[in-house]
Amino acid sequence: MLALAAVPEARAMAASVAHVVADEPGTSLRPVRPLFTVPRADPPRVVTHVVAPDDTIFTVADTYHVTPQTVAYNNGLTDTSALKPGQVLAIPTIDAAVYEVRDGDTPVTVGQRFGVDARQIADANRLLYEPDNFVTGATIIVPVADGRFPNFRLHVTEAARAAPFARSLTRAHLLLPVNGGVITQRFSSFHTAVDVAGPYGAPVLASEAGTVAAVGYVNTGGLRVCIRHDWGLQTCYYHLSITRVSEGERVGRGQIVAAIGLTGVTTGPHVHWEASIEGAYVDPLSY
C-alpha cells in the first residue's frame, strides 16, 4: 500500500528543481515542491497454516520466521510433539501474542501484562492512525521479543532432543566457533562440551543466529557468552578474554561475539563450546 508524503529530502531537492510556475501573470514565481510516494510497511498480521504430515513445530516456525514459542503460545501447545496433521494454526507474522482486547484494557495495561512497551503495541496495530483497532473484542498483536511469553515454557520432548532437527532449519551444521580452531576434546558423558583451541585473543564466532542470553563470569568456566537460538538450542562459549556483545542483543551466524582467553580453570587458550536443549547437554558437533 502506498501513501503520498512530502519527505525531508524533498525540501533539498526542491531547490534544484529547474521549472517553476506563476500564480498569475506578472506575479512572483514560486518553486514546485515535489511529492514522493513512500512505501508503507505492511503491519503485522495473523496467517493460518494447515499442519502437514512431516511438519514439526520447528519447521513451521522457520517457515514464518518466528520462534517455536510463538507458534506454541498462540495455539495452546505445550510441547514439541503436540502438532497433528490437518491441524489449523494461527501464526502472527512477527514474534507476538495474538490478544483479544478486554473491557478496561489500555495499551499500557496490556503492555504490562506481556512486559512490553505500550508504544510497541501502538506501532504494531497502527493505533495512531486507526485507534478503532483497539476496542473491546478486537484482536490485536502484542510484540513479544524473542518469544518470551510470561509464565509460558515450551517443553522439548526427548524425541526432539535426540533428532538433529537443527539441520532442517539452518540447512547447515553449527559453525565451529573458532576459524581454523583445533578440537582438543570431544563431547562425552564426562565432558559435556567440545573444546576448540586457538591463539589467545582469536575471534570467537556465533555458531548460529540467535539472541544473547547471558554474558559474564561463572565459576570454573570464567568469562562466557551464551546464545539462545530460535529453534530451541542454546550454545555457550567459555574461557573468554573479552566479550563483544550484550545480553538481549541479536547476533548473526558467524558474528564475532568474543575472543579466546584463559579465564576460569583452563590449561591453555581454547573455547569450551557447550550446547543444550531445555537444560539437557547435547553434542554441538551433531547439529
Side-chain angles (χ1 to χ4, degrees):
M1 188 172 182
L2 297 178
L4 285 176
V7 295
E9 289 84 353
R11 288 191 293 270
M13 295 182 66
S16 63
V17 175
H19 58 281
V20 292
V21 297
D23 292 321
E24 293 178 7
T27 62
S28 61
L29 299 179
R30 58 180 176 83
V32 174
R33 173 173 293 185
L35 290 176
F36 292 85
T37 56
V38 178
R40 188 188 75 188
D42 288 334
R45 55 196 175 92
V46 180
V47 299
T48 57
H49 176 88
V50 179
V51 177
D54 59 348
D55 275 344
T56 69
I57 197 168
F58 303 103
T59 57
V60 171
D62 186 55
T63 297
Y64 297 96
H65 306 291
V66 295
T67 64
Q69 289 81 0
T70 292
V71 177
Y73 180 87
N74 288 298
N75 293 280
L77 308 177
T78 57
D79 66 56
T80 54
S81 65
L83 287 189
K84 306 297 181 187
Q87 182 178 2
V88 179
L89 303 177
I91 304 173
T93 53
I94 62 171
D95 284 316
V98 180
Y99 180 80
E100 184 176 318
V101 178
R102 306 172 187 175
D103 189 33
D105 278 341
T106 68
V108 172
T109 60
V110 174
Q112 290 171 343
R113 184 190 302 264
F114 288 93
V116 303
D117 193 295
R119 287 172 295 185
Q120 293 177 277
I121 297 174
D123 290 343
N125 297 279
R126 294 186 54 79
L127 300 186
L128 179 62
Y129 305 102
E130 301 170 38
D132 287 345
N133 288 347
F134 195 100
V135 295
T136 300
T139 298
I140 64 169
I141 286 178
V142 182
V144 178
D146 198 36
R148 295 185 183 184
F149 298 94
N151 304 314
F152 177 78
R153 186 177 181 85
L154 176 62
H155 174 64
V156 180
T157 62
E158 290 296 329
R161 292 177 183 175
F165 53 78
R167 295 177 196 174
S168 68
L169 301 176
T170 63
R171 298 171 180 83
H173 288 290
L174 293 177
L175 279 180
L176 203 66
V178 181
N179 277 334
V182 177
I183 296 175
T184 56
Q185 190 169 5
R186 291 181 177 269
F187 182 90
S188 66
S189 58
F190 58 87
H191 184 256
T192 55
V194 172
D195 287 346
V196 185
Y200 183 93
V204 175
L205 313 177
S207 297
E208 186 51 84
T211 301
V212 178
V215 178
Y217 282 88
V218 293
N219 291 334
T220 307
L223 185 60
R224 62 89 164 85
V225 168
C226 292
I227 300 172
R228 183 174 54 258
H229 308 294
D230 295 341
W231 39 270
L233 189 77
Q234 177 168 286
T235 55
C236 293
Y237 315 80
Y238 293 87
H239 305 311
L240 308 173
S241 60
I242 190 172
T243 62
R244 301 191 180 279
V245 291
S246 56
E247 188 171 338
E249 180 178 342
R250 286 289 297 181
V251 297
R253 178 181 172 93
Q255 180 177 330
I256 296 175
V257 297
I260 292 179
L262 289 167
T263 56
V265 179
T266 177
T267 56
H270 75 279
V271 175
H272 183 82
W273 182 35
E274 179 184 273
S276 63
I277 300 176
E278 286 285 304
Y281 295 117
V282 296
D283 183 356
L285 291 175
S286 69
Y287 285 88

